[in-house]
Amino acid sequence: MMKLSNNKISVSWWDMTDLIKDLAEKIPFEVPLVDSIYGIPRGGLIPAVMLSHKLGLPMVETIGKNTLIVDDMTDSGVTMDKMPGQFTAVLYHKPHTSTFIPNVYSKLHKGDEWLVFPWEDTKAPAKQDYLQSDEFIEFAEREDNSGVWSEEDGKLHTIGGLTNDKEGSL
């Protein structure tokens, strides 16, 4: 990992190889019943493909009883907490900020730095993209904020950190 400016750390492809190898060694012992892999869009897709190849397990589009759900990290933990299924794995777990503890993780990250993975733009803001939208900011600043985002609140729709509008233009 390499320290970047603006409180960011770059995770290299070399780091990814080590992280995937570590997860692949832990998974058979930690979650031995896993028979397939699902990658959460966007951050979990590439690690899931890499794990699928390493473990010889199929990638699936539908989460089954013994599907391993993969993401790049548990930062807030909200994405993983909303996923169905019983088996989860991440590259990095942030225990001080995450409300969710995955079944398997490669590394603990105790810092507050933003992790930039090799498939991401190092110049992007150190913030999840859906948190930057005007609709989300207006919602968060409302006095009557119930803490629940719904269709009535605007056009923001997210799935696993991937932002899309109602028209599905992305």
Side-chain angles (χ1 to χ4, degrees):
M1 292 194 338
M2 181 177 73
K3 186 97 171 163
L4 301 172
S5 60
N6 299 330
N7 202 35
K8 294 180 186 179
I9 294 177
S10 176
V11 179
S12 72
W13 284 112
W14 293 110
D15 296 327
M16 286 296 300
T17 301
D18 293 341
L19 294 164
I20 294 299
K21 181 180 180 221
D22 185 56
L23 277 179
E25 290 172 357
K26 291 177 179 178
I27 287 168
F29 298 102
E30 301 293 325
V31 286
L33 299 176
V34 166
D35 61 9
S36 57
I37 296 178
Y38 173 85
I40 295 178
R42 295 183 308 198
L45 287 174
I46 294 172
V49 169
M50 293 174 79
L51 272 174
S52 172
H53 287 294
K54 191 83 169 164
L55 295 172
L57 294 174
M59 285 281 297
V60 295
E61 293 181 19
T62 305
I63 298 169
K65 179 181 175 190
N66 293 328
T67 300
L68 179 67
I69 301 167
V70 178
D71 206 358
D72 52 2
M73 71 175 134
T74 48
D75 191 0
S76 68
V78 172
T79 302
M80 280 295 217
D81 198 34
K82 292 182 179 182
M83 296 304 297
Q86 58 182 342
F87 302 125
T88 56
V90 297
L91 301 173
Y92 289 95
H93 174 56
K94 291 184 169 186
H96 60 293
T97 61
S98 180
T99 60
F100 184 87
I101 301 171
N103 297 108
V104 185
Y105 55 86
S106 182
K107 302 278 185 215
L108 281 177
H109 183 74
K110 296 182 179 180
D112 291 325
E113 301 88 1
W114 184 258
L115 299 176
V116 182
F117 292 91
W119 55 87
E120 297 176 317
D121 183 359
T122 58
K123 295 180 177 133
K127 192 175 197 181
Q128 293 165 334
D129 55 0
Y130 66 89
L131 295 177
Q132 299 173 59
S133 73
D134 292 336
E135 292 90 357
F136 189 88
I137 292 167
E138 288 172 17
F139 169 74
E141 292 174 349
R142 283 193 344 216
E143 286 185 31
D144 66 336
N145 182 354
S146 64
V148 178
W149 184 267
S150 68
E151 281 193 37
E152 293 79 36
D153 293 314
K155 296 174 69 175
L156 178 69
H157 293 267
T158 62
I159 299 172
L162 177 64
T163 305
N164 203 357
D165 57 27
K166 283 185 184 176
E167 290 79 27
S169 62
L170 299 178

